């Protein structure tokens, strides 16, 4: 999925999977470098017009894949390249 894509609510792919693909593409493009914070949940909710629970589910997918990690009270960060290979 393109890093600049928008969420298509009529698509067969669920919105949280679409957002996960968009975030993955944005990381690959270099929008957020390893070790740096991605946009906040609030920013992603506003930017993509999704519910906070949908954004959290998308982030959880990428955390499970090792692409992102979260720090309580600090945010969500891009994993270092080696960390994402776990």
């Amino acid at each position: 999925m393109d890093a600049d894509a928008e969420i298509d609510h009529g698509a067969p792919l669920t919105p949280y999977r679409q957002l996960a693909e968009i975030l993955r593409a944005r990381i690959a493009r270099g929008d957020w470098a390893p070790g740096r914070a991605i946009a906040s949940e609030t920013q992603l909710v506003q930017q993509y017009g999704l519910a906070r629970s949908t954004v959290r589910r998308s982030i959880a997918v990428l955390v499970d894949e090792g692409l992102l990690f979260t720090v309580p009270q600090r945010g969500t960060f891009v994993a270092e390249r080696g960390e994402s290979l776990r």
Side-chain angles (χ1 to χ4, degrees), residues 16-56:
Y16 86 90
R17 287 281 181 193
Q18 290 179 56
L19 181 58
E21 292 296 322
I22 291 168
L23 296 178
R24 186 180 290 110
R26 290 184 67 183
I27 292 166
R29 180 172 73 183
D31 288 2
W32 302 300
R36 301 300 304 242
I38 67 167
S40 70
E41 287 180 3
T42 302
Q43 291 169 323
L44 294 171
V45 163
Q46 292 171 350
Q47 182 175 0
Y48 293 102
L50 297 169
R52 184 176 297 274
S53 60
T54 303
V55 170
R56 285 183 177 163

